[in-house]
Amino acid sequence: MKIKAVIFDLDGVLLETDRYHYLAWKRVLEGYGKEFSEEDNELIKGVARSKSLEILLEMKGLRMSEVEKISVLRKKNNWYLEYAMLIDEEDVLPGVREFLELLKSYGLKTGIASTSDNSYVILELTGLMKYFDVLIDGYRVKEPKPNPEVYLVGASELKVKPEECAVFEDSRAGVLAAKRAGMKVIAVSDKPIAEADKRIDSLEGLDISILNFEA
Ligand code: BG6
Ligand code: MG
């Protein structure tokens, strides 16, 4: 099956905004006297905000009332935006724009599938929005990754079949979501993600052959 569309996760694939999510959660946990390592962070990478909090409470043995959870989630997002608002075009990761231009020169469709409610603002700040035919973000789906919904909606809006899509993802939750949608997945990660079809360190220097997959 020939690839007709390429769908990208945003945080950690096109930008290092995954770092800002990590720093904001770290600040939350430090407020409760808990440490939060990069290793801990792997378990919530790509996971929706409220689900991430549930995982962290369990991981750190903390309890919170529903009202406190709402307040913590708001605080986490404000801190995230405090860091993220400083980004601009220069923060787009190496090779990203070149690869997006290459895809367009081959007539491939492109989309973003992100769990983040902040995707639009990040794409605007970095000038990346113009490269994408569709944006499916946290506001557009009921079930976050690892549910396949965000990728299935992406394929449907791009008017291609899921099996005609290749996906770039940095988190295990995201890789699982795209595989469950029936897509080919390239992990952008320095650690292997078993369910992915391929793995790369970054988008720098990629050529179109990255979209060749055995049947
Ligand atoms: C994903 C990030 O893209 O979006 C997660 O990898 C984050 O870390 C999730 O929790 C939700 O994002 P937001 O911006 O709506 O809190
Ligand atoms: Mg990601």
Side-chain angles (χ1 to χ4, degrees), residues 179-195:
K179 286 311 294 176
R180 288 171 182 164
M183 300 179 178
K184 297 291 185 198
V185 185
I186 299 141
V188 187
S189 172
D190 53 4
K191 297 171 202 75
I193 301 179
E195 294 81 1

Side-chain angles (χ1 to χ4, degrees), residues 9-12 17-18 21-22 25 41 44-50 52 76-77 80 113-119 138 145 170-171:
D9 171 49
L10 176 62
D11 298 315
T17 37
D18 54 322
H21 284 292
Y22 167 62
W25 281 124
N41 188 50
I44 59 158
K45 237 188 202 175
V47 174
R49 202 182 310 162
S50 53
S52 297
K76 185 268 170 179
N77 197 48
Y80 169 73
S114 169
T115 299
S116 174
D117 294 346
N118 297 300
S119 302
K145 300 171 188 177
D170 69 314
S171 73

Side-chain angles (χ1 to χ4, degrees), residues 99-117:
F99 187 57
L100 289 166
E101 272 158 18
L102 183 74
L103 296 179
K104 286 292 163 199
S105 74
Y106 278 86
L108 288 152
K109 295 179 179 178
T110 51
I112 293 273
S114 169
T115 299
S116 174
D117 294 346

Side-chain angles (χ1 to χ4, degrees), residues 68-137:
E68 192 174 1
K69 285 182 194 170
I70 293 168
S71 144
V72 163
L73 290 173
R74 191 171 303 141
K75 230 189 274 175
K76 185 268 170 179
N77 197 48
N78 288 342
W79 283 332
Y80 169 73
L81 286 171
E82 206 177 277
Y83 304 131
M85 279 304 165
L86 300 174
I87 64 175
D88 63 19
E89 293 167 13
E90 288 180 15
D91 292 295
V92 176
L93 283 167
V96 167
R97 269 196 207 86
E98 293 79 354
F99 187 57
L100 289 166
E101 272 158 18
L102 183 74
L103 296 179
K104 286 292 163 199
S105 74
Y106 278 86
L108 288 152
K109 295 179 179 178
T110 51
I112 293 273
S114 169
T115 299
S116 174
D117 294 346
N118 297 300
S119 302
Y120 184 75
V121 92
I122 300 293
L123 289 167
E124 281 294 308
L125 284 170
T126 52
L128 283 175
M129 196 58 229
K130 65 177 186 216
Y131 293 101
F132 298 98
D133 301 310
V134 299
L135 161 63
I136 316 297
D137 61 14

